[in-house]
Amino acid sequence: MTLEQITDNIRGKVGSHSPLAAIIKFDFGDDGVVRIDGKASPTVVDNANTDADCTVKVSKENFMQIADGSLNPQMAFMMGKLRVEGDMSLALQLGSILG
């Protein structure tokens, strides 16, 4: 799956009104980023690599496994496959966006 496909998929799940009034960024390293700006109205989902309230660092492959349910996000965190920088409470609420 390409970065553009992941971005479009997240945009479809989030819709125009994110339940989180925060900026959340998924950092896939060399594969790019997906940013959800829940502070904007309507919500913006793009690939801008700007400051965020919460950054989730994960490989694109592990992100896709989390998204399809084959990798538990808590296990990925404990195994070091996923790192969170910034507001951890926002990361814990991502299920409401991505679920």
Side-chain angles (χ1 to χ4, degrees), residues 6 10 25 30 34 39 45 48 56 60 75 78 84 89-90 92 97 99:
I6 292 171
I10 291 174
K25 180 170 62 175
D30 292 339
V34 176
K39 293 179 181 179
V45 178
V56 177
K60 199 165 66 165
M75 288 301 296
M78 288 190 280
V84 176
S89 68
L90 292 171
L92 295 173
I97 291 178

Side-chain angles (χ1 to χ4, degrees), residues 6-52:
I6 292 171
T7 305
D8 287 342
N9 189 12
I10 291 174
R11 189 176 291 124
K13 288 184 179 186
V14 171
S16 59
H17 300 291
S18 170
L20 302 177
I23 299 173
I24 298 167
K25 180 170 62 175
F26 293 96
D27 184 344
F28 303 125
D30 292 339
D31 290 322
V33 302
V34 176
R35 182 183 69 111
I36 303 168
D37 185 349
K39 293 179 181 179
S41 183
T43 298
V44 174
V45 178
D46 61 19
N47 303 109
N49 192 4
T50 60
D51 289 339

